[in-house]
Amino acid sequence: NRIAFTLSRGYGCAVERNQSKRYSREIYRSLKKYLNTGYDLLLLVYPGNNSFSSRYFQIHTLCEKAGIIKA
């Protein structure tokens, strides 16, 4: 799988943008073993609740809805 994270315009200062990307990459690393292979993923991240646990839940739910989590 290939994955890219992009942030919406006006997300915040550089520290917030970098932290958000780090959280998203770490969550992908933890979910990678449960995902089907052969997909290109592009996730657009909007500002909001930027905690690790809420972002994990959001990305996990998104992958479930897309049907790319192994059964």
Side-chain angles (χ1 to χ4, degrees):
N1 291 340
R2 294 184 299 180
I3 190 161
F5 298 100
T6 184
L7 303 171
S8 64
R9 293 189 107 195
Y11 189 85
C13 67
V15 173
E16 292 173 359
R17 290 190 299 269
N18 290 333
Q19 182 183 33
S20 179
K21 287 181 186 179
R22 281 195 306 269
Y23 282 170
S24 300
R25 283 192 298 263
E26 184 58 35
I27 290 166
Y28 174 72
R29 278 190 215 109
S30 66
L31 288 175
K32 187 167 38 173
K33 57 187 168 191
Y34 302 111
L35 299 178
N36 292 325
T37 58
Y39 292 95
D40 294 334
L41 307 170
L42 175 65
L43 299 176
L44 177 61
V45 180
Y46 286 98
N49 190 357
N50 197 24
S51 68
F52 186 83
S53 59
S54 67
R55 180 67 50 85
Y56 183 89
F57 178 73
Q58 291 169 353
I59 292 177
H60 186 269
T61 304
L62 184 63
C63 289
E64 282 180 340
K65 287 182 179 182
I68 60 173
I69 292 184
K70 294 178 185 175

